[in-house]
Amino acid sequence: MDTLSSVRTQIQRGFQATWGLWLGVAIIAPIGLGVWAVSTLMQLPEPLNCNTSTASDSGSARFYCAQTVAEEESVDSLQQAIQMMNALPKGHPLRTEGDRLIEEWSLKILAIAETEFQNGNLDEAISIARKIPGRVPASRLANDAVEQWESIWSDAEAIYEAAERSLQDDRWQAALAEARDLVRIENRYWASTQYMALLNEIQMKKESSELAAKQDAERKAKQRDRSTANTADDVLTQWEQERAQEDATRLSRARSFASAGTVEGLENAISEARGVVWGTEQYEEAQALIQDWQRQAEMLEDQPYLDRARTLASQGDIDSLRAAIQEARQIPSYRTLYTEAQANIEAWSNEIEQITMQQTSSPPVPVQAPSRRNSAPEADAIPTPPSARELFNLDNSDGSGD
């Protein structure tokens, strides 16, 4: 009996000890789980800050940041984006797309440089073009453009200096003929701004010379009879009439050229109309015609780019839309169809974004497990490349880089 009582006592003690252990676990486990959850949340990666990204960042982070920086579309931001994208290793999955973006950004830099050149800022245009890396295909275009700009600029300066020399020698017709050569210069600054400045200078010096001649004639008239003074006035009136007739004939030829409806005809018409000297009755009419013909010529030259871009975009896939955007970007910012081209580019860019979002958000197609009877492995499906944002999230989830 004593033995049986002893056994029962030990069983009760063991049960009490076990019950106490489970009670402790039930109390401690939720507390430990909460501590672990808070610790995990504290260790989540911080949001990516592209302003402080370093070379130690993951490849997908650099890819994302390069795209973000490039959205500003200034020379400095595009150059910075190219440098960041070039930091991607050659074997990185995003390197091919990165090279395509580098080429696209390089062409944007070249377009900005072309605008500076057309505005008369040759040194700034060359400086911007030199910022395109030498390893990208667009660098060859940049080098060719710089050589062409320097050649155009040199020709324009030579024409302007020749006109100035003729003007100093009071050879008005020679100065005017040389000034008209500026119209054919392939630079808006020389063909428009400097051309008009030279015409105004010729006109002012000519009128000053005529006024001096007239005053001299009046002074001499006091020493001669009145008929001599009238002769001087008649000479001036005759010159004005001849100039008006010449301008009317010039506008008639210009309209004849423009009636052909071709780019060459319109350019010849513009060149002819720009010969109408400021201060004549036909000058305002000539300027209005020049603006209209310039708009027509630009539309004839640039419409094929826009037509090809729309044909490409009509195919509806991402590659075709990107090709359409690249084609539409051939239209410079100072041209008539630029606004229309930019509207199409924005629409196609939005379409690309929508297609990309649909592709990345589509649920995966379930794959049936292979049958035991057929043990031969099937060919691996080619995975769809993840977006830059997905790769960035994957890199941060495991805490590693490339």
Side-chain angles (χ1 to χ4, degrees), residues 23-134:
L23 180 61
V25 170
I27 295 174
I28 295 174
I31 297 175
L33 183 61
V35 172
W36 174 83
V38 172
S39 175
T40 303
L41 289 174
M42 294 295 290
Q43 294 176 359
L44 286 176
E46 296 181 357
L48 181 61
N49 186 353
C50 292
N51 294 327
T52 60
S53 60
T54 64
S56 62
D57 291 336
S58 67
S60 55
R62 295 193 200 102
F63 185 89
Y64 172 78
C65 285
Q67 289 181 299
T68 302
V69 171
E71 289 177 356
E72 185 179 339
E73 294 195 349
S74 65
V75 174
D76 292 338
S77 65
L78 291 170
Q79 185 182 21
Q80 182 183 357
I82 290 173
Q83 292 173 349
M84 295 172 68
M85 194 66 78
N86 266 330
L88 280 177
K90 293 297 182 181
H92 195 278
L94 292 173
R95 182 66 201 201
T96 300
E97 177 65 11
D99 290 339
R100 187 193 68 78
L101 289 173
I102 288 173
E103 181 69 12
E104 178 180 328
W105 297 336
S106 299
L107 291 174
K108 286 185 178 180
I109 292 177
L110 185 57
I112 295 174
E114 173 69 26
T115 300
E116 290 293 334
F117 170 70
Q118 291 296 333
N119 290 338
N121 303 319
L122 175 63
D123 293 337
E124 179 66 15
I126 294 175
S127 176
I128 292 173
R130 296 299 188 202
K131 293 181 179 181
I132 297 176

Side-chain angles (χ1 to χ4, degrees), residues 110-387:
L110 185 57
I112 295 174
E114 173 69 26
T115 300
E116 290 293 334
F117 170 70
Q118 291 296 333
N119 290 338
N121 303 319
L122 175 63
D123 293 337
E124 179 66 15
I126 294 175
S127 176
I128 292 173
R130 296 299 188 202
K131 293 181 179 181
I132 297 176
R135 296 184 299 276
V136 300
S139 64
R140 293 192 298 271
L141 296 176
N143 292 333
D144 293 341
V146 169
E147 292 180 3
Q148 185 180 17
W149 296 341
E150 292 176 336
S151 176
I152 292 173
W153 203 270
S154 177
D155 292 343
E157 288 180 332
I159 293 172
Y160 197 94
E161 291 172 0
E164 286 281 1
R165 287 193 297 270
S166 298
L167 191 57
Q168 291 174 1
D169 296 336
D170 293 337
R171 293 185 293 115
W172 315 117
Q173 294 298 327
L176 186 59
E178 288 158 347
R180 288 170 181 165
D181 289 337
L182 284 177
V183 177
R184 299 178 177 86
I185 294 296
E186 297 179 5
N187 178 270
R188 185 174 62 248
Y189 169 74
W190 285 104
S192 179
T193 304
Q194 289 297 87
Y195 171 73
M196 292 304 303
L198 189 55
L199 282 186
N200 291 337
E201 184 178 359
I202 293 173
Q203 185 72 17
M204 291 176 60
K205 288 192 175 181
K206 184 171 176 49
E207 290 177 353
S208 177
S209 177
E210 290 173 352
L211 179 60
K214 186 176 181 180
Q215 291 173 345
D216 183 63
E218 290 176 351
R219 185 175 58 255
K220 291 179 180 179
K222 295 178 181 180
Q223 302 172 0
R224 299 194 304 255
D225 56 11
R226 183 173 298 274
S227 62
T228 304
N230 292 336
T231 301
D233 291 338
D234 292 341
V235 170
L236 289 175
T237 303
Q238 182 181 0
W239 183 88
E240 292 174 350
Q241 292 175 349
E242 291 175 352
R243 184 176 63 180
Q245 181 61 38
E246 179 184 352
D247 289 343
T249 302
R250 189 178 299 281
L251 278 183
S252 178
R253 286 198 302 267
R255 288 191 177 95
S256 178
F257 287 139
S259 64
T262 63
V263 174
E264 182 180 3
L266 290 167
E267 289 178 348
N268 290 335
I270 292 171
S271 177
E272 193 70 35
R274 279 179 172 162
V276 177
V277 180
W278 175 80
T280 62
E281 296 179 359
Q282 291 86 0
Y283 178 76
E284 296 296 333
E285 180 183 2
Q287 293 303 304
L289 289 171
I290 287 171
Q291 292 182 3
D292 184 52
W293 292 335
Q294 184 70 46
R295 180 184 60 81
Q296 294 181 37
E298 290 178 359
M299 291 182 67
L300 286 175
E301 289 177 335
D302 296 341
Q303 189 64 47
Y305 292 114
L306 205 52
D307 291 342
R308 286 194 297 270
R310 287 169 175 163
T311 300
L312 288 168
S314 65
Q315 300 179 30
D317 58 275
I318 291 180
D319 290 339
S320 298
L321 290 168
R322 285 173 175 167
I325 291 173
Q326 192 62 37
E327 190 71 23
R329 281 177 175 160
Q330 301 298 317
I331 300 176
S333 59
Y334 56 87
R335 307 281 281 191
T336 302
L337 292 178
Y338 175 77
T339 302
E340 184 177 352
Q342 291 302 304
N344 281 275
I345 288 173
E346 182 176 358
W348 296 333
S349 298
N350 292 335
E351 192 171 347
I352 289 174
E353 183 176 355
Q354 292 175 1
I355 294 173
T356 302
M357 291 177 63
Q358 291 174 358
Q359 290 177 349
T360 56
S361 63
S362 298
V365 178
V367 180
Q368 185 176 359
S371 173
R372 291 179 178 272
R373 295 181 180 179
N374 185 10
S375 59
E378 297 180 354
D380 293 337
I382 299 175
T384 301
S387 65

